[in-house]
Amino acid sequence: FFLNGKESTNKNCRLCNYNNESQLHLLHCPALHTVKQYVLHLLQAMGLDASQIHTELTWLLGMNKTGSLLDPAHLAVIRIHWRHVYAAMVRLKYDGEAFSPARVQSEIARTFLTRIMAYQYERRLSFFRRRHSHAGNYRLPKTAAQQAQPIGELRLSDGMLTVKDSVISAIQQQGISCDQLMTDSPSSSSTMPQRSSPSSRSNAGNNSFNHVQGQHGNTNLVAANSAFL
């Protein structure tokens, strides 16, 4: 974060205008309370035990109370959260746009949905590219299903990710439609996946899910544009 520091005449937090602006303060800033409550709801919908969430370790470093790193999917949500919080802070400082927790929550949900959509596409595409290289018996690695587990069930036999109802509900809570998510169908195992049209992508926002290719082609769930960490 680029925070109000020595070069700023006003060092107060841009959001609450009360305490000095710092990374530590942002973890407890009252202006972010409703945003954090929504992100907590989303994390719990993904299966993260609320008792493992630390008020500072989790939000700043992506760790649970014992100091272990969260799953990549949970880390992605936290990074997406900070990305949009900081974007709102920049708009407030340079454009004079009032901070809107409701807008930030909606942007978090929309971005997370587009990451899921892109992950669905990439996993299906990965399967189709390899299904004829193992005498027709290719299966995705078990680690892929483990990485996707917080979001839903990844079928190793054809790369289809079925998103949890609780995750869909948490996204829809912000008034965002999940109709564009891939759904299982009789033809799903024999049809090449297609990206959504440009018009539908513009409705859903940025639809690229940054991924890191491992030695065996595993795709880690990570948030895009994490330069703020």
Side-chain angles (χ1 to χ4, degrees):
F1 283 132
F2 290 98
L3 304 171
N4 286 334
K6 294 180 180 179
E7 77 288 350
S8 303
T9 55
N10 182 4
K11 297 180 177 58
N12 285 352
C13 174
R14 280 169 274 183
L15 303 181
C16 69
N17 197 32
Y18 182 70
N19 294 100
N20 284 349
E21 189 172 284
S22 67
Q23 288 190 355
L24 183 61
H25 166 69
L26 291 176
L27 298 177
H28 305 279
C29 181
L32 292 175
H33 176 72
T34 56
V35 175
K36 289 182 69 174
Q37 287 300 113
Y38 172 66
V39 177
L40 283 172
H41 172 62
L42 187 54
L43 289 171
Q44 289 176 279
M46 296 166 63
L48 183 61
D49 186 350
S51 66
Q52 291 299 308
I53 298 174
H54 189 276
T55 55
E56 295 176 1
L57 284 177
T58 300
W59 294 97
L60 189 60
L61 301 176
M63 297 179 175
N64 59 24
K65 284 185 175 180
T66 64
S68 299
L69 278 176
L70 301 179
D71 289 337
H74 296 135
L75 281 172
V77 171
I78 292 175
R79 289 173 176 170
I80 289 169
H81 151 260
W82 282 122
R83 172 187 176 185
H84 287 294
V85 166
Y86 187 56
M89 293 172 67
V90 172
R91 291 194 299 266
L92 189 154
K93 182 172 183 176
Y94 294 102
D95 300 333
E97 182 178 319
F99 177 70
S100 170
R103 175 178 175 178
V104 173
Q105 290 168 211
S106 177
E107 289 174 341
I108 290 170
R110 192 185 310 277
T111 300
F112 186 49
L113 173 62
T114 58
R115 300 299 187 269
I116 295 174
M117 290 168 57
Y119 183 78
Q120 282 186 320
Y121 171 82
E122 294 296 339
R123 268 304 174 202
R124 291 284 285 154
L125 190 61
S126 175
F127 168 79
F128 276 99
R129 284 171 174 167
R130 294 172 173 82
R131 63 175 175 168
H132 297 303
S133 62
H134 294 70
N137 297 319
Y138 176 73
R139 291 173 63 87
L140 290 168
K142 291 182 179 179
T143 52
Q146 293 170 354
Q147 290 175 349
Q149 191 278 329
I151 295 173
E153 181 181 356
L154 179 65
R155 200 162 55 204
L156 301 181
S157 60
D158 61 7
M160 172 58 69
L161 172 66
T162 302
V163 182
K164 291 179 180 178
D165 290 340
S166 57
V167 173
I168 292 176
S169 177
I171 294 173
Q172 290 176 331
Q173 180 181 318
Q174 297 303 315
I176 304 215
S177 172
C178 293
D179 292 344
Q180 292 173 302
L181 285 173
M182 289 184 187
T183 56
D184 199 2
S185 65
S187 61
S188 64
S189 62
S190 58
T191 305
M192 275 289 289
Q194 300 294 323
R195 284 194 184 275
S196 55
S197 65
S199 60
S200 64
R201 290 202 301 270
S202 63
N203 292 333
N206 181 359
N207 77 322
S208 62
F209 205 154
N210 279 8
H211 58 276
V212 179
Q213 291 295 337
Q215 183 178 2
H216 300 291
N218 294 342
T219 303
N220 291 332
L221 295 172
V222 294
N225 191 7
S226 59
F228 52 82
L229 291 180

